[in-house]
């Protein structure tokens, strides 16, 4: 039996896939076969349901000391387009977004050289006070590691203060590729792979849910991709705290890696499918339409994705890197896109409680 046939039998029998299986899947050129395998696993977990939410993104500042080579969003403090939002600006944006019925605000930002930790806590408290029913999903492990560094508090103490001020879950960013080699070359000035995993573990053990991501399509090797998936899977075995895994498509424009090309549709769909097949213990695989574009996100529903993220009012980070997708879409656009693919749109909250399901 050839390797793919053996993998197919394993998938049918719900047998966990190995590192070698993962590498064989990543090298597979039969994209429709891959899609079939991943879609079957997805169907077993969630039937034809596809989740989305109504959310808004706030990026408090684009000033960042890390200046990762893949990032087009960050600026130095002295750049003319550097910004830092104050509390009033954040509230103003949220008031505008709340008319669209948002249930979640997603807050991630640069690592600002001088903003004190109290700045972030003040923003959280103000948001919590004015929008008590909006779920605050905020701060990646990279930011939490930085807060710990600038305050001298432990990661657990930082998390406790963030939770007390309003944080209810963590996004999954900052993972990039969990490889020391990649991080040394592309983002040596921020939390490393071990730190990212350790902070997620601490958060999960405190009862916080989070997502996990991979930023793919730059200098990573196939082996580094599979090792990343295995590291996330191992942690999930221990904590069960990851709700969704989100493959993030690298956008090279305006970055220090602008000589590279963006992953093709084939590569994007393959990553979605391989993530679904390798991460047998993570319930949701998200096609993050801001990065894939709406068309590939819709196709990804046939490649194992069961979540299409949200309405994402005002996305800035990927658009700084040349994303051609919209900056936000309406709920109707999202549900229509899901329906057209023959799936059932389900509005969820951040913790995947069903808010509204089509029949
Ligand atoms: S990816 Fe994040 S940490 Fe890296 S430069 Fe951009 S904003 Fe800063």
């Amino acid at each position: 039996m050839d390797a793919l046939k053996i993998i197919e039998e394993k998938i049918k029998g719900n047998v966990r896939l190995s590192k070698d299986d993962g590498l064989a899947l990543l090298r597979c050129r039969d994209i429709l076969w891959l899609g079939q395998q991943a879609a079957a696993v997805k169907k077993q977990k969630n039937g034809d349901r596809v989740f989305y939410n109504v959310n808004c993104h706030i990026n408090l500042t684009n000033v960042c000391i890390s200046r990762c080579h893949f990032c087009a969003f960050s600026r130095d403090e002295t750049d003319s387009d550097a910004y830092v939002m104050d509390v009033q600006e954040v509230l103003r944006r949220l008031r505008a977004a709340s008319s669209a019925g948002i249930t979640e605000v997603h807050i991630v930002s640069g690592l600002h050289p001088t903003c004190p930790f109290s700045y972030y806590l003040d923003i959280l408290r103000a948001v919590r006070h004015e929008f008590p029913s909006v779920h605050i999903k905020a701060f990646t492990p990279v930011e939490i590691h930085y807060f710990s560094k600038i305050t001298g508090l432990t990661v657990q103490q930082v998390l406790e203060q963030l939770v007390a001020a309003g944080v209810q879950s963590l996004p999954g960013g900052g993972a990039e590729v969990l490889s020391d080699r990649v991080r040394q070359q592309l983002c040596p000035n921020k939390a490393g792979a071990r730190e990212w995993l350790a902070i997620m573990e601490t958060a999960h053990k405190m009862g916080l849910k989070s997502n996990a991501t991979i930023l793919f399509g730059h200098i990573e090797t196939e082996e580094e991709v599979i090792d990343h998936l295995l590291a996330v899977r191992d942690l999930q075995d221990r904590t069960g705290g990851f709700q969704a895994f989100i493959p993030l498509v690298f956008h090279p424009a305006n970055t220090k890696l602008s000589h590279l090309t963006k992953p093709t549709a084939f590569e994007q769909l393959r990553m979605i499918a391989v993530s679904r097949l390798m991460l047998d213990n993570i319930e949701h695989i998200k096609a993050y339409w801001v990065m894939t574009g709406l068309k590939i996100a819709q196709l990804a529903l046939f490649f194992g994705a069961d979540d299409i993220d949200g309405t994402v009012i005002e996305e800035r980070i990927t658009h700084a890197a040349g994303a051609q997708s919209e900056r936000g879409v309406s709920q109707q656009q999202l549900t229509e896109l899901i329906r057209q693919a023959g799936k059932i749109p389900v509005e969820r909250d951040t913790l995947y409680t069903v808010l509204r399901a089509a029949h």
Side-chain angles (χ1 to χ4, degrees):
M1 236 192 305
D2 72 12
L4 294 183
K5 199 73 206 145
I6 294 170
I7 293 174
E8 192 170 328
E9 291 303 317
K10 281 190 178 180
I11 294 167
K12 272 195 198 124
N14 289 320
V15 175
R16 176 162 273 195
L17 300 182
S18 66
K19 178 169 176 175
D20 284 344
D21 295 334
L23 286 168
L25 290 173
L26 260 192
R27 288 168 188 156
C28 171
R29 296 290 173 265
D30 188 347
I31 192 77
L32 294 182
W33 176 85
L34 257 183
Q36 270 170 5
Q37 305 308 310
V41 172
K42 180 248 170 228
K43 190 150 188 157
Q44 220 178 46
K45 285 191 191 285
N46 287 307
D48 283 327
R49 299 193 301 169
V50 171
F51 298 89
Y52 71 94
N53 73 347
V54 182
N55 64 345
C56 130
H57 282 205
I58 300 270
N59 306 121
L60 297 174
T61 176
N62 62 353
V63 177
C64 187
I65 53 144
S66 185
R67 306 310 307 263
C68 307
H69 292 197
F70 48 76
C71 180
F73 169 72
S74 61
R75 295 288 182 274
D76 290 331
E77 217 173 356
T78 48
D79 286 339
S80 58
D81 52 352
Y83 74 86
V84 181
M85 289 184 195
D86 62 15
V87 174
Q88 285 315 315
E89 173 67 9
V90 172
L91 293 178
R92 192 187 61 72
R93 283 171 189 266
L94 278 176
R95 280 176 204 134
S98 70
S99 61
I102 56 163
T103 59
E104 168 192 290
V105 56
H106 166 109
I107 305 176
V108 296
S109 313
L111 310 177
H112 195 284
T114 54
C115 278
F117 187 41
S118 57
Y119 159 78
Y120 303 92
L121 297 176
D122 288 346
I123 300 243
L124 290 169
R125 287 189 201 103
V127 172
R128 177 48 62 246
H129 179 73
E130 185 163 336
F131 303 95
S133 61
V134 172
H135 181 107
I136 302 179
K137 180 179 76 177
F139 306 120
T140 67
V142 165
E143 293 171 276
I144 290 160
H145 174 259
Y146 184 64
F147 297 151
S148 160
K149 220 163 103 179
I150 62 174
T151 56
L153 297 170
T154 64
V155 162
Q156 169 127 1
Q157 287 167 334
V158 167
L159 284 167
E160 282 166 0
Q161 293 204 23
L162 291 173
V163 168
V167 166
Q168 291 162 286
S169 68
L170 305 185
E176 323 311 356
V177 178
L178 296 170
S179 142
D180 291 338
R181 182 194 74 86
V182 171
R183 298 181 93 83
Q184 199 47 44
Q185 284 191 43
L186 300 187
C187 51
N189 304 320
K190 68 182 189 186
R194 243 168 272 117
E195 284 152 341
W196 190 94
L197 289 162
I199 291 169
M200 281 302 190
E201 185 156 9
T202 304
H204 292 171
K205 286 184 173 159
M206 289 170 61
L208 287 165
K209 295 288 185 192
S210 78
N211 294 328
T213 59
I214 182 170
L215 180 75
F216 71 97
H218 43 87
I219 65 161
E220 78 283 6
T221 64
E222 287 168 341
E223 191 166 1
E224 284 162 346
V225 168
I226 299 302
D227 284 343
H228 179 111
L229 297 178
L230 295 180
V232 169
R233 190 172 79 180
D234 284 352
L235 179 53
Q236 180 75 340
D237 276 345
R238 291 201 298 281
T239 66
F242 291 124
Q243 302 195 103
F245 185 77
I246 314 162
L248 301 175
V249 181
F250 172 57
H251 282 63
N254 308 320
T255 73
K256 290 185 186 141
L257 302 174
S258 58
H259 56 285
L260 298 178
T261 49
K262 189 183 134 185
T264 60
F266 178 94
E267 290 165 326
Q268 295 182 41
L269 293 171
R270 183 177 59 189
M271 181 59 79
I272 296 265
V274 173
S275 302
R276 171 58 86 189
L277 293 171
M278 293 303 292
L279 298 174
D280 53 9
N281 54 1
I282 296 188
E283 196 65 12
H284 304 288
I285 302 294
K286 191 184 281 189
Y288 182 44
W289 66 262
V290 171
M291 287 192 159
T292 61
L294 287 167
K295 290 173 187 164
I296 293 181
Q298 188 183 40
L299 277 180
L301 305 182
F302 298 91
F303 287 78
D306 71 329
D307 191 304
I308 203 158
D309 202 72
T311 48
V312 187
I313 298 162
E314 271 276 295
E315 203 285 333
R316 284 171 179 247
I317 294 177
T318 315
H319 286 88
Q324 299 297 312
S325 59
E326 292 77 350
R327 277 177 187 267
V329 294
S330 70
Q331 196 168 342
Q332 199 189 347
Q333 273 172 287
L334 280 186
T335 55
E336 195 44 45
L337 187 137
I338 295 166
R339 271 208 196 90
Q340 224 182 46
K343 315 285 182 200
I344 304 165
V346 177
E347 185 188 345
R348 60 166 175 86
D349 68 9
T350 310
L351 302 176
Y352 285 85
T353 305
V354 172
L355 299 180
R356 189 172 7 169
H359 300 289

